[in-house]
Amino acid sequence: MKKLFFVASILVMQIYGLAQTKNLAEQIHSAAIKLEPKMISWRRDFHTHPELGNREFRTAKIIADHLRSLGIDVKEGVGKTGVVGVLKGTKPGPCIGLRADIDALPILERTGLPFASKEKAQYNGQEVPVMHACGHDTHIAIMMTVAEILSTYKNDLAGSVKFVFQPAEEGPPEGEEGGAALMIKEGVLDNPKVDVMLGLHINSQTEVGVIKYRAGGMMAASDWFTIKVKGKGSHGSQPWMAIDPVVVSAQIINNLQTIVSRQVDLTKNPAVVSVCIVNGGVRANIIPEEVVLTGTIRTLDGETQKQIKENIISMATKTAEASNAKADVTIDNKTSVTYNDPTLVASMLPTFKKVAGDANVIQMNPVTGAEDFSFFGEKVPSMFFYLGGMKKGQDPATAFPHHTADFVIDESGLRLGVETFCNLVFDYMNQATKKAVKK
């Protein structure tokens, strides 16, 4: 009889827990609808006033002021211009990190939006136009809204939420540190210690209302290479007197194409080698002494990354030697593979489906774009996902991609990001509490 009573009690608790969860999701939904106009207003303000990496002073102040107004503990100047807010629940539990990147890009906007950017700034010694051409303005607005909603549930939080507003995701100015790596270096994952990190990215070619996810490697590691091809200059009318670095560079560029097409097993993971900048020469009748090639490598596993780096060095140096020239190769790692912890993804997948609906949660293929959110994943279990920002019914092929002057986002997709983050926080905390009770 006692055993039967115990089983019945457990069932009642489970049913009550499900009812509470459903009720909480409905409350979050209502709060998100109420705050949506405010969120869109924030987004448009940030879009009108974008700031480049490590220079997000205005943006950071608005974020910090808002978090403080909610009673959240705030620390500014983390990773130069980053803002970190900690919301401590009244119950013990894990610390969940939520990340939003806050920087813009040196691009001239031509969307024609009434809130389009007209800002200019200094970038590596040049004055450039500035635009939120990757949707980071939406990430900020979503996270500020999440903070406002969760702050009203402080007494229900079994743990803490750390809001990480990260600068310089697109990379810091030359000669500076920045981004996720610098924030980690300065202790963003400590005090309190972050147990898991969650992040999202708006996507202009994914329909509003859709969430895309992937366990394991989701986005590629990004390495940038520079090849300095050194030859011997001459008058353009006497090429036999030269060791022409232009011709040698052309040969190197062509040979590099065979690394992916002939030397990498693409049945395992995709890879990319792209030469994107060719600099050399100043006049039509002068063969220069040096040409500089710059490009990027994208890989989704460490073995392929190592292989391609070695092959680029070998291919460039030996191609140059064959023409009595010399090639010096340097390769810098910009980001690691954005790796989603499979156990974390599996545990949070029901939350995605609860909030967006089964049909709107799609397992995606890996992409060769890169994200410095990857550095968080090297330190703690992490999960990154895509949020739809393309208007319903649009053909993705006609949607302007990220990092372009015509990039636009359908703002009706932002509310799903808010509801997803809030539900992920509560569901993860609930799972952690159940595990603690079982122990």
Side-chain angles (χ1 to χ4, degrees), residues 5-300:
F5 177 77
F6 177 75
V7 172
S9 298
I10 293 295
L11 287 172
V12 170
M13 288 174 66
Q14 288 178 340
I15 292 169
Y16 178 69
L18 288 171
Q20 276 191 316
T21 301
K22 184 177 180 181
N23 184 48
L24 183 59
E26 290 172 351
Q27 291 177 28
I28 291 169
H29 177 68
S30 297
I33 291 174
K34 183 178 179 181
L35 289 172
E36 186 173 29
K38 188 176 183 180
M39 172 175 58
I40 290 174
S41 177
W42 278 328
R43 183 261 163 159
R44 293 184 178 185
D45 177 70
F46 291 128
H47 192 89
T48 304
H49 304 287
E51 295 174 298
L52 296 175
N54 285 0
R55 304 293 185 272
E56 305 95 334
F57 304 114
R58 178 183 184 274
T59 303
K61 184 179 186 307
I62 293 171
I63 294 167
D65 288 347
H66 176 62
L67 296 183
R68 285 197 181 95
S69 74
L70 302 173
I72 293 173
D73 294 335
V74 176
K75 186 175 181 181
E76 298 180 74
V78 184
K80 294 192 182 292
T81 48
V83 179
V84 179
V86 178
L87 175 62
K88 297 177 182 177
T90 57
K91 304 172 186 177
C95 178
I96 301 172
L98 302 180
R99 180 272 210 158
D101 38 11
I102 66 175
D103 56 322
L105 288 157
I107 292 176
L108 177 63
E109 182 166 0
R110 62 182 180 215
T111 60
L113 293 169
F115 51 91
S117 168
K118 295 180 176 60
E119 296 288 337
K120 292 184 179 181
Q122 288 294 312
Y123 180 70
N124 294 337
Q126 301 180 57
E127 185 179 69
V128 295
V130 185
M131 175 190 176
H132 267 299
C134 200
H136 296 185
D137 51 339
T138 69
H139 301 170
I140 307 165
I142 287 170
M143 188 76 83
M144 289 172 66
T145 309
V146 170
E148 184 156 342
I149 292 174
L150 291 182
S151 67
T152 66
Y153 288 95
K154 184 175 181 178
N155 293 334
D156 299 302
L157 290 174
S160 301
V161 183
K162 184 175 284 191
F163 301 98
V164 179
F165 290 87
Q166 180 210 305
E169 189 280 325
E170 302 291 358
E174 289 182 8
E176 296 184 23
E177 291 183 274
L182 183 57
M183 293 193 88
I184 292 169
K185 182 178 177 181
E186 294 185 2
V188 73
L189 296 177
D190 304 315
N191 301 318
K193 183 181 181 300
V194 173
D195 293 286
V196 293
M197 281 293 294
L198 307 176
L200 64 73
H201 206 300
I202 199 81
N203 187 262
S204 68
Q205 294 169 305
T206 297
E207 193 173 66
V208 161
V210 171
I211 289 173
K212 289 185 176 179
Y213 75 97
R214 182 177 181 82
M218 176 180 167
M219 301 182 74
S222 173
D223 295 284
W224 292 10
F225 63 85
T226 300
I227 303 172
K228 293 183 179 180
V229 183
K230 299 177 181 179
K232 179 183 175 183
S234 179
H235 195 288
S237 66
Q238 296 177 303
W240 54 87
M241 299 292 291
I243 299 174
D244 192 341
V246 176
V247 174
V248 174
S249 295
Q251 293 168 343
I252 290 173
I253 291 170
N254 283 332
N255 290 344
L256 290 181
Q257 308 312 305
T258 66
I259 292 176
V260 171
S261 67
R262 292 296 180 269
Q263 299 175 33
V264 174
D265 184 353
L266 295 179
T267 63
K268 294 180 178 178
N269 274 309
V272 173
V273 175
S274 292
V275 178
C276 300
I277 304 173
V278 181
N279 278 326
V282 294
R283 187 177 167 93
N285 63 348
I286 300 173
I287 295 173
E289 293 184 352
E290 182 178 278
V291 172
V292 179
L293 311 177
T294 309
T296 189
I297 308 163
R298 301 300 169 100
T299 50
L300 281 147

